[in-house]
Amino acid sequence: MENFTNEPIDISALPRYEAVNLNALQPKYWNVILFNIAAIFLIIGIALAVIIYFVEEIHSMAWLFGLVYVLFLGFTFLLSKISFQKRGFAFREHDVIYRSGIIATNTMIIPYNRVQHVALHEGFISRYFDLAKVEIFTAGGDSSDVSIPGIKKEQAEDIKQLLMGKIQKQL
Amino acid sequence: MIKSEFSTPQRQSKTGLLVLFANTVFEFLKAMWILLVVFFLRGKTMDVFWGIGGILLVLLGFGVYSYLKYRTFTFYIDEEQNEFIVQHGILNKTKTVIQLHKIQQVNLKQNIIHRIVNVYQVNIDSAGSEEKEAVINAVSKEVAMALKAKLLDNERVEVVDNSVEVEKEIEDKPFLKIDLISLLKVGITSNYAKSIGLLLTFFFTIYENLNHAGADEFIDGSKVEDFIQSNTEVYSILLATALLFTIIFIINIVRTLAKYYGFKIAKHKGSLIMSYGLIATQSTILKPEKVQIVKITRNFFQKKLKILEIKIKQTINDDSKQDKSTIEIPGCNEIERDEILQLIFNEIPEKGEKLKPNIRKLLFSIFILIVLPLTAYLSIGNWFANSIFEYKSIAIVYTIFVLIGLLFGFKNNSLFINNRHIIMQSGAWDVDNEIIKIEKIQAITTSQLFWHKSLNIGSLTIHTAGGNISFQLGKFDKINQYINLWLYQIEKNESNWN
């Protein structure tokens, strides 16, 4: 009992989550995003070309489809770029912070003592670039889980070990 | 370890056969009743004769089926592995294995047939990522009680060990009993939307089934038309509305009574024990440490009648079980509310500092729900179809209703914060107060639109294991300050949540 104190907390002196400098995702992860966009648009493009080729009534409008396709591609590219640049994460002593969003900035904070389990996910393309995704699960269901992509494989392993250690300690 | 009576596979109670049989027949009737009614009403004498024969045959089949089901259903506790095992299936065998320490709840239930033959249904709920659940349909009271005690014996958390004692306790000294009057009050003041939904589903089911049965002549549309023509339009609408409301009131009252009749709550070793129900008695145990969100709801009428509803959300392990993890206490008064809160939180959470959303929240809702639809309405009426202006009274009524709703919603929307709790108040008609203990927070999300940065407004979502709570467009620096405080409170403790 002698160690017990109950001083008033100085709220302004608390560490501020919003002032933390976040780590950006690995630049190589941009390649993964590009690859995904390319794959999706390749499939759409082929489907579109086939349709235009076989339906003769719309031959004359092929340029319109092309224009929309290119605009759509440009738009997706732009949004992905913004999204990529705005994402960031930080592992503090007691919690993890992940920021994302294009129009709105969403910041999620999960204290380590609420983490239920941690998983490492390597996508097909990510593996080629030696990247991994760290997935952190809580008891709060889907909406309070977080997955941070574009982290170097070794670093992701370290993070997982760190979190596992923290969870073990609390149990 | 002493071998218990459950260590060898055993069947359900013999009298339980009747329950199995009745359940099968009931399921059959539920699916087929409209077809049967149509058949007997329209069929010729000969057909009816054959029909009765057919039904007898079907019943015999069900009898055999129920017997086989009874023979193949066994359950036991594997003492070495510490597992509870249920095996069933006539052709396809299913084996459900539940580890004893994962068992969260064991509920005993009785419907009307159970009561007649004096047997119980035992429901076993488990926790964990592999969600499992076992139902034993019919066992005698002694077996049910013994099984419950045996299964819960292995629970890590403090447990209600003697079920007989529990049943007695709830009979002897319930600390809260909801009387008939309160239930009637609840029935007429809440759940309108739910009842309308039920009503619609009911009519559609009947209509569809009749159509399928080729009984178009039963539905005589022309009579309704005649009626409407013979009376003025306004009169018909008034009558229809009055009729609708009467039906809704009746449905509401019947539903509330059937579900909550004889609602009793008793305290037992720090847990709340509830039992309720007219036709099927349900009993549930609520452990305060599992409570995530307590929601207190009250509308204008209920305030005048001095009643309120409490919903208690527990840990959700699985979305499909969301209904089960929410416990409703209908129609208690303020003193009883305080007693329940005291039991759950060990104190009555005060409304601390109050945060209000920015006026933009109201303006934005008005824009989306009033300005946009009205603009669409006016422009369509102006340029495309002038005829829709005939319904302008609907548009006016809609605007007034929605505007009033939004104004009240905005007025009520606020976030109260004290040292240990967060209380979110919201709602236009039904005013909700959702109470969260800060240590139950699982994660926090903030969200800010980029043009709101300079205005210092942003939104907050608090995630718990029982659902989320959102507070939109509040003062962002204030919100952030509180988040930092909450994080400190959560993280300074090494202890895990629960």
Side-chain angles (χ1 to χ4, degrees):
Chain A
M1 275 295 170
E2 57 263 25
N3 292 334
F4 181 78
T5 55
N6 201 358
E7 297 296 316
I9 306 156
D10 181 6
I11 294 177
S12 58
L14 286 172
R16 292 169 59 215
Y17 86 92
E18 66 270 30
V20 173
N21 279 325
L22 300 185
N23 306 310
L25 304 188
Q26 285 291 317
K28 274 191 288 182
Y29 185 62
W30 178 237
N31 297 329
V32 179
I33 296 176
L34 280 184
F35 199 90
N36 283 334
I37 297 177
I40 291 166
F41 273 85
L42 195 69
I43 293 168
I44 298 176
I46 290 171
L48 213 60
V50 170
I51 291 170
I52 293 172
Y53 181 79
F54 283 108
V55 186
E56 289 191 5
E57 292 86 37
I58 56 172
H59 273 188
S60 56
M61 278 158 64
W63 63 272
L64 189 69
F65 282 99
L67 187 71
V68 171
Y69 180 75
V70 171
L71 278 179
F72 196 54
L73 179 65
F75 196 60
T76 311
F77 181 81
L78 200 72
L79 287 187
S80 304
K81 185 82 192 170
I82 297 174
S83 159
F84 173 70
Q85 282 170 344
K86 279 191 68 177
R87 275 189 261 186
F89 65 92
F91 288 89
R92 293 201 290 179
E93 250 177 88
H94 296 288
D95 50 26
V96 49
I97 302 175
Y98 180 59
R99 182 168 293 169
S100 63
I102 298 166
I103 299 168
T105 307
N106 305 310
T107 312
M108 184 164 210
I109 310 136
I110 303 178
Y112 294 145
N113 55 9
R114 297 293 184 271
V115 175
Q116 290 220 307
H117 77 274
V118 189
L120 212 66
H121 180 82
E122 281 178 276
F124 177 65
I125 306 153
S126 292
R127 192 157 8 174
Y128 178 77
F129 291 104
D130 200 30
L131 295 173
K133 188 199 268 180
V134 177
E135 294 173 318
I136 300 164
F137 301 92
T138 70
D142 293 344
S143 67
S144 61
D145 298 336
V146 88
S147 64
I148 308 173
I151 302 179
K152 265 204 181 121
K153 180 78 194 301
E154 310 92 77
Q155 203 188 347
E157 288 285 1
D158 290 347
I159 291 169
K160 193 185 164 192
Q161 286 310 317
L162 171 94
L163 287 181
M164 291 305 250
K166 298 254 184 204
I167 301 169
Q168 290 294 316
K169 205 172 104 196
Q170 271 129 22
L171 289 176
Chain B
M1 197 177 217
I2 316 152
K3 290 257 173 191
S4 76
E5 50 188 311
F6 298 111
S7 53
T8 50
Q10 56 174 289
R11 302 204 171 90
Q12 302 173 78
S13 147
K14 284 216 174 64
T15 40
L17 242 170
L18 194 66
V19 177
L20 296 180
F21 179 65
N23 278 351
T24 328
V25 173
F26 182 69
E27 286 299 315
F28 173 72
L29 286 181
K30 207 162 93 181
M32 304 286 284
W33 68 273
I34 289 177
L35 273 181
L36 288 176
V37 167
V38 170
F39 179 79
F40 279 103
L41 282 179
R42 294 182 16 110
K44 302 182 191 79
T45 343
M46 206 51 196
D47 287 346
V48 172
F49 181 71
W50 283 115
I52 292 173
I55 285 174
L56 283 180
L57 215 69
V58 169
L59 286 183
L60 190 71
F62 282 162
V64 174
Y65 174 68
S66 306
Y67 181 70
L68 287 177
K69 236 165 81 169
Y70 163 76
R71 288 290 299 183
T72 50
F73 189 104
T74 56
F75 59 92
Y76 64 99
I77 295 172
D78 186 337
E79 309 264 354
E80 268 138 47
Q81 305 287 327
N82 265 324
E83 286 166 347
F84 180 66
I85 296 161
V86 176
Q87 286 172 305
H88 64 99
I90 299 168
L91 291 176
N92 298 322
K93 305 275 182 201
T94 314
K95 187 174 177 180
T96 311
V97 181
I98 302 177
Q99 286 172 306
L100 290 184
H101 68 88
K102 288 230 169 109
I103 292 175
Q104 229 176 10
Q105 272 189 11
V106 178
N107 292 326
L108 305 188
K109 265 193 197 171
Q110 269 192 315
N111 68 22
I112 204 127
I113 304 156
H114 284 105
R115 273 193 208 172
I116 293 171
V117 294
N118 195 26
V119 290
Y120 284 80
Q121 186 189 72
V122 184
N123 285 342
I124 296 143
D125 280 349
S126 72
S129 42
E130 332 131 62
E131 191 64 32
K132 267 176 199 159
E133 168 178 322
V135 178
I136 299 169
N137 243 314
V139 285
S140 68
K141 183 166 183 171
E142 296 76 46
V143 175
M145 295 291 188
L147 184 64
K148 184 177 180 178
K150 185 80 196 148
L151 288 175
L152 286 180
D153 219 23
N154 290 279
E155 256 244 37
R156 290 153 301 169
V157 204
E158 181 253 350
V159 130
V160 185
D161 39 20
N162 193 340
S163 311
V164 187
E165 186 187 322
V166 169
E167 302 283 320
K168 239 174 72 187
E169 193 138 355
I170 203 161
E171 287 304 319
D172 292 352
K173 40 177 181 183
F175 90 97
L176 194 156
K177 249 181 162 170
I178 294 167
D179 55 5
L180 205 61
I181 313 273
S182 301
L183 284 181
L184 286 179
K185 285 181 188 170
V186 173
I188 54 174
T189 52
S190 61
N191 286 326
Y192 299 127
K194 226 177 189 173
S195 292
I196 292 176
L198 266 179
L199 202 65
L200 287 179
T201 356
F202 180 69
F203 277 126
F204 278 120
T205 333
I206 290 192
Y207 187 76
E208 205 149 286
N209 273 303
L210 284 176
N211 264 352
H212 274 303
D216 286 331
E217 55 263 48
F218 277 144
I219 311 158
D220 197 350
S222 59
K223 274 187 191 158
V224 181
E225 277 161 38
D226 285 349
F227 178 79
I228 290 172
Q229 268 164 16
S230 63
N231 293 284
T232 60
E233 201 177 312
V234 179
Y235 179 69
S236 311
I237 289 175
L238 274 180
L239 198 72
T241 323
L243 198 70
L244 188 73
F245 269 93
T246 323
I247 296 174
I248 287 171
F249 276 147
I250 293 170
I251 293 181
N252 258 335
I253 290 172
V254 170
R255 235 164 42 98
T256 318
L257 282 185
K259 196 169 171 196
Y260 295 117
Y261 180 78
F263 197 106
K264 273 178 270 180
I265 303 180
K267 282 185 250 190
H268 182 86
K269 293 185 184 168
S271 297
L272 279 176
I273 308 164
M274 287 164 229
S275 83
Y276 53 91
L278 182 64
I279 301 159
T281 312
Q282 296 238 31
S283 61
T284 321
I285 296 177
L286 174 79
K287 291 175 191 152
E289 66 269 19
K290 291 242 161 74
V291 173
Q292 304 291 323
I293 302 177
V294 176
K295 184 170 169 180
I296 300 167
T297 306
R298 177 180 240 191
N299 61 37
F300 178 73
F301 289 152
Q302 290 172 334
K303 199 170 185 174
K304 291 284 166 239
L305 292 171
K306 295 205 167 48
I307 52 165
L308 44 82
E309 284 172 66
I310 300 179
K311 269 191 194 145
I312 298 165
K313 292 182 192 170
Q314 290 175 279
T315 316
I316 304 171
N317 295 308
D318 179 4
D319 276 342
S320 64
K321 288 177 76 183
Q322 197 147 11
D323 290 346
K324 273 195 182 172
S325 59
T326 304
I327 291 169
E328 277 179 62
I329 304 172
C332 50
N333 61 33
E334 277 164 31
I335 301 161
E336 291 160 342
R337 172 198 65 189
D338 287 349
E339 254 180 282
I340 291 168
L341 289 179
Q342 180 74 41
L343 209 95
I344 294 171
F345 292 113
N346 276 325
E347 64 186 313
I348 293 152
E350 277 171 43
K351 289 188 169 177
E353 190 184 354
K354 181 178 184 179
L355 301 188
K356 290 291 296 175
N358 192 279
I359 186 79
R360 278 166 183 257
K361 183 170 160 62
L362 177 66
L363 298 179
F364 183 73
S365 321
I366 290 179
F367 179 75
I368 293 289
L369 288 173
I370 296 179
V371 178
L372 275 187
L374 271 191
T375 319
Y377 176 74
L378 289 176
S379 37
I380 290 171
N382 213 3
W383 287 300
F384 300 106
N386 266 313
S387 55
I388 65 165
F389 280 140
E390 283 169 29
Y391 301 102
K392 58 174 172 287
S393 53
I394 296 178
I396 292 169
V397 170
Y398 168 82
T399 310
I400 293 172
F401 255 102
V402 174
L403 190 66
I404 292 175
L406 288 178
L407 282 173
F408 272 99
F410 182 73
K411 187 178 149 269
N412 290 331
N413 193 338
S414 32
L415 190 73
F416 298 94
I417 300 157
N418 72 26
N419 281 333
R420 280 179 294 278
H421 308 95
I422 302 165
I423 303 177
M424 172 78 193
Q425 180 178 293
S426 62
W429 174 249
D430 286 323
V431 181
D432 296 335
N433 274 289
E434 289 173 284
I435 309 171
I436 295 182
K437 222 174 174 177
I438 287 168
E439 65 197 58
K440 296 293 179 190
I441 296 175
Q442 293 285 329
I444 300 172
T445 307
T446 60
S447 180
Q448 188 176 42
L449 296 162
F450 65 77
W451 63 89
H452 280 168
K453 211 168 236 168
S454 54
L455 293 160
N456 185 27
I457 45 184
S459 305
L460 162 76
T461 305
I462 296 166
H463 310 267
T464 76
N468 299 340
I469 276 183
S470 287
F471 177 67
Q472 276 154 352
L473 304 189
K475 261 196 184 142
F476 205 48
D477 55 352
K478 197 86 196 165
I479 289 176
N480 282 335
Q481 207 177 29
Y482 272 114
I483 291 175
N484 288 322
L485 179 63
W486 296 332
L487 288 174
Y488 166 74
Q489 285 175 317
I490 295 167
E491 291 164 0
K492 74 177 175 189
N493 282 323
E494 283 287 272
S495 75
N496 228 319
W497 76 288
N498 251 315

